[in-house]
């Protein structure tokens, strides 16, 4: 049977269960954001209409995943779901050994403690908040080796996740390969705006690391989304399947940390996967200290089953096309209105360029934080700050890092919202854009010492 003729894509699923949304009044939202210290992380989800805080753990599971939840083998040791997950990781990513963890940062913790010695340097294609913190807690120093274009929201480079090989070579020359336990390579680089790394670049990174005997550890959190962009944009890959591309990416690296809450379409879960037996053995020793027995690592049996099934769904072409397609739909609506966003439009969300959006605000008045609060006030859309608050303070100088990218992320959960929701979001952003001259900055009145963006509190700056 031939496929029905189709001019545009549509969601490759229909909806079987719904969750009603609550709408609020402007007065209610004013009270809620004040109460939350102008930090969208501190809002109650009940006070949010369309929740674009994150795509992490917020996706809708499929009927097959829910059925898998009923097959949970909740034995303390040797759960059948662990073996299923191990087989899925071997088949879909190609890594040999699996250490389950409760979520991505659990894997980062075990890996950092195992491989990093005080004084070590970890080059990477842009920082991620939890990843860098675990590297620092283990005594390491993160060094950014992503191409310059990644720091420019307006650059149209198709692979803004690429590594600048000259920067990487310089780090190796300066500190010596023996002080680099691994190079950290993220796919669909989150903080750059969901920007992919090309396979051509990753092959070169591999060759350089081979020359110096340095490992590559892959942050595989959004590897399927990266693979979709490779299929779309990289010469020679148009006819390859997402699954084949994912295997090629993973095959160029020595192991991965994974937050299964993103690509793998579950509400909780993660893992570490490694090819080297010795590193695996060391991490497996630590997992029982910090997470749980090595055959569940903090997950219930049912959760491991849902991850195993979700990994398979993540590499289906129709799924990933609709997922990235929905992000593109929202991004193009905003572009048509002239709203400054990070280009090319990324994989998991649309990133508003708050510096250009609110040029009247100095970066220490936290323009992205202020813009996220303003968006919530307009119609109850919740976004996330990804700028000066997220970047934190430089441990040496104690000053705000004032990163080049000062962004507000409108992140799309997978399989959760419809095109009509995207239209509402676009209208709300446009409304705030029309009134941008009236938006004021914020001052931080409470600052936690670690990952301050989660719990920091602000007041309007007059
Ligand atoms: C996201 C998250 C969740 C999050 C984490 C920290 C601050 C704000 C939001 C989590 C990731 C990620 C990458 C590339 C590792 C983790 C940690 N992202 N690597 O984007 O995107 O995983 O949350 O499961 O511990 O909202 P974890």
């Amino acid at each position: 049977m031939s496929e029905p003729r189709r001019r545009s894509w549509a969601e490759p699923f229909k909806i079987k269960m719904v969750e009603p949304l609550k709408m609020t009044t402007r007065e209610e939202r004013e009270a809620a954001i004040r109460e939350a210290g102008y930090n969208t992380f501190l809002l109650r989800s009940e006070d949010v209409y369309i929740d674009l805080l994150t795509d992490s753990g917020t996706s809708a599971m499929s009927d097959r995943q829910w059925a898998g939840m009923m097959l949970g083998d909740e034995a303390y040791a040797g759960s059948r779901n662990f073996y299923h997950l191990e087989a899925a990781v071997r088949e879909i990513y190609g890594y040999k050994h699996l250490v389950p963890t409760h979520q991505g940062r659990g894997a980062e913790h075990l890996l950092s403690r195992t491989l990093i010695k005080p004084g070590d340097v970890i080059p990477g294609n842009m920082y991620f908040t939890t990843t860098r913190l675990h590297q620092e807690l283990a005594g390491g120093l993160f060094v950014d080796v992503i191409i310059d274009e990644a720091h420019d929201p307006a650059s149209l480079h198709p692979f803004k996740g690429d590594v600048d090989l000259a920067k990487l070579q310089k780090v190796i020359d300066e500190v010596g390969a023996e002080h680099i336990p691994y190079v950290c390579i993220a796919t669909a680089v989150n903080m750059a705006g969901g920007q992919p790394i090309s396979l051509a670049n990753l092959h070169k990174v591999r060759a350089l690391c081979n020359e110096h005997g340095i490992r590559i550890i892959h942050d595989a959190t959004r590897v399927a989304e990266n693979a979709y962009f490779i299929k779309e944009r990289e010469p020679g890959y148009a006819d390859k399947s997402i699954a084949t591309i994912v295997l090629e990416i993973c095959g160029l690296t020595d192991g991965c940390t994974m937050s299964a809450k993103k690509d793998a379409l579950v509400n909780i879960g993660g893992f570490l996967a490694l090819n080297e037996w010795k590193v695996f053995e060391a991490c497996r020793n630590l997992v029982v200290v910090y997470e749980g027995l090595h055959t569940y690592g903090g997950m219930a049996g049912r959760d491991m089953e849902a991850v195993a099934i979700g990994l398979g769904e993540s590499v289906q072409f129709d799924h990933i096309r609709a997922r990235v397609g929905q992000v593109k739909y929202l991004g193009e609506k905003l572009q048509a209105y002239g709203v400054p966003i990070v280009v090319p439009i990324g994989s998991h969300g649309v990133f508003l360029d708050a510096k250009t959006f609110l040029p009247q605000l100095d970066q220490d008045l936290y323009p992205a934080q202020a813009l996220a609060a303003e968006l919530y006030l307009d119609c109850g859309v919740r976004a996330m700050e990804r700028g000066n608050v997220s970047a934190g303070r430089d441990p040496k100088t104690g000053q705000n890092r004032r990163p080049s990218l000062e962004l507000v992320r409108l992140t799309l959960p997978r399989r959760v919202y419809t095109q009509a929701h995207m239209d509402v979001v676009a209208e709300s952003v446009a409304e705030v854009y029309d009134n941008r001259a009236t938006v004021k900055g914020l001052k931080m009145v409470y600052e936690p010492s670690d990952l301050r963006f989660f719990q920091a509190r602000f007041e309007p700056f007059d």
Side-chain angles (χ1 to χ4, degrees):
M1 215 173 75
S2 66
E3 265 190 64
R5 208 169 109 90
R6 196 164 53 185
R7 291 192 173 78
S8 60
W9 64 268
E11 290 79 0
F13 52 80
K14 55 184 177 172
I15 296 166
K16 178 138 52 179
M17 188 189 285
V18 297
E19 179 183 342
L21 293 176
K22 192 178 121 188
M23 296 184 72
T24 49
T25 63
R26 171 109 196 168
E27 289 68 39
E28 286 168 337
R29 292 193 294 277
E30 276 168 3
I33 196 77
R34 206 179 317 117
E35 180 100 341
Y38 297 84
N39 184 348
T40 53
F41 278 108
L42 300 179
L43 286 167
R44 288 170 188 240
S45 120
E46 272 201 330
D47 294 330
V48 173
Y49 173 36
I50 298 176
D51 201 348
L52 307 187
L53 183 71
T54 178
D55 63 331
S56 179
T58 53
S59 296
M61 292 208 292
S62 66
D63 50 1
R64 288 180 64 251
Q65 285 178 294
W66 279 108
M69 296 286 279
M70 297 305 291
L71 301 176
D73 170 3
E74 307 305 342
Y76 188 85
S79 161
R80 100 169 81 85
N81 312 115
F82 167 78
Y83 297 105
H84 186 189
L85 178 57
E86 186 182 52
V89 170
R90 283 187 183 144
E91 183 196 327
I92 295 161
Y93 290 176
Y95 300 118
K96 287 187 193 145
H97 311 299
L98 174 72
V99 183
T101 59
H102 76 285
Q103 61 184 84
R105 69 199 73 179
E108 292 168 348
H109 176 213
L110 303 181
L111 181 83
S112 301
R113 267 186 179 246
T114 301
L115 289 181
I116 300 172
K117 296 184 303 301
D120 279 353
V121 166
I122 305 93
N125 56 346
M126 201 171 267
Y127 84 101
F128 185 71
T129 53
T130 58
T131 321
R132 181 176 63 193
L133 180 60
H134 281 296
Q135 293 165 355
E136 289 174 353
L137 289 172
L141 178 73
F142 169 83
V143 178
D144 190 9
V145 293
I146 205 166
I147 55 171
D148 287 342
E149 286 87 341
H151 290 280
D152 173 5
S155 161
L156 278 164
H157 193 293
F159 291 103
K160 286 165 102 172
D162 278 359
V163 169
D164 183 328
L165 291 141
K167 286 187 194 170
L168 178 56
Q169 180 72 61
K170 189 159 169 269
V171 180
I172 299 171
D173 293 344
E174 279 172 13
V175 306
E178 66 279 15
H179 295 297
I180 303 178
Y182 58 94
V183 173
C184 185
I185 295 294
T187 33
V189 181
N190 191 353
M191 299 303 277
Q195 303 293 332
I197 179 171
S198 64
L199 265 164
N201 183 255
L202 187 55
H203 275 280
K204 288 185 192 147
V205 175
R206 178 76 268 177
L208 182 57
C209 286
N210 281 353
E211 255 176 59
H212 297 275
I214 301 172
R215 289 179 196 90
I216 302 178
I217 298 292
H218 172 203
D219 182 337
T221 297
R222 296 183 182 83
V223 61
E225 293 176 0
N226 195 116
Y228 178 75
F229 284 130
I230 288 177
K231 185 174 169 71
E232 289 263 285
R233 297 178 190 166
E234 190 161 353
Y237 289 92
D239 296 329
K240 299 228 158 95
S241 69
I242 300 296
T244 306
I245 298 171
V246 165
L247 269 177
E248 185 172 338
I249 295 171
C250 295
L252 290 165
T253 63
D254 301 293
C256 80
T257 55
M258 174 72 183
S259 170
K261 301 171 71 172
K262 285 79 166 176
D263 259 7
L265 296 153
V266 293
N267 303 121
I268 191 72
F271 55 83
L272 182 60
L274 295 156
N275 288 338
E276 276 169 273
W277 177 263
K278 273 196 117 136
V279 183
F280 163 66
E281 206 180 15
C283 292
R284 194 177 53 171
N285 280 332
L286 276 186
V287 77
V288 298
V289 181
Y290 293 104
E291 302 277 319
L293 193 75
H294 58 280
T295 55
Y296 75 85
M299 282 184 281
R302 55 179 171 270
D303 295 330
M304 291 190 281
E305 190 62 28
V307 177
I309 297 169
L311 279 176
E313 292 180 3
S314 77
V315 295
Q316 288 171 5
F317 178 72
D318 278 351
H319 158 70
I320 203 75
R321 176 176 59 174
R323 192 283 183 281
V324 180
Q326 189 179 39
V327 176
K328 187 162 173 245
Y329 176 83
L330 175 62
E332 285 177 348
K333 282 215 141 201
L334 295 180
Q335 279 178 319
Y337 203 79
V339 175
I341 64 170
V342 174
V343 287
I345 296 165
S347 62
H348 61 305
V350 178
F351 291 66
L352 307 178
D353 175 4
K355 273 189 195 166
T356 310
F357 201 117
L358 300 175
Q360 71 270 32
L361 300 186
D362 180 81
Q363 211 171 354
D364 281 338
L365 295 178
Y366 307 113
Q369 190 80 26
L371 181 53
E374 203 59 35
L375 258 178
Y376 171 72
L377 278 173
D378 182 73
C379 96
V381 171
R382 168 155 72 173
M384 188 191 288
E385 191 267 5
R386 298 275 75 173
N388 205 8
V389 184
S390 292
R393 292 180 186 272
D394 186 307
K396 282 202 191 107
T397 67
Q399 297 299 307
N400 277 338
R401 282 193 171 98
R402 297 176 65 97
S404 48
L405 296 179
E406 178 73 24
L407 309 176
V408 171
R409 189 182 71 175
L410 299 161
T411 340
L412 301 197
R414 297 163 188 78
R415 312 191 288 208
V416 169
Y417 292 113
T418 66
Q419 194 152 313
H421 289 116
M422 296 304 107
D423 293 344
V424 170
V425 173
E427 279 167 23
S428 180
V429 176
E431 179 83 22
V432 173
Y433 190 59
D434 286 343
N435 297 316
R436 62 193 181 276
T438 63
V439 178
K440 300 227 162 59
L442 295 169
K443 63 170 183 263
M444 203 184 300
V445 294
Y446 169 64
E447 180 175 357
S449 56
D450 291 315
L451 302 176
R452 64 181 183 178
F453 51 90
F454 282 130
Q455 288 145 356
R457 301 186 68 86
F458 301 82
E459 280 173 8
F461 183 88
D462 296 309

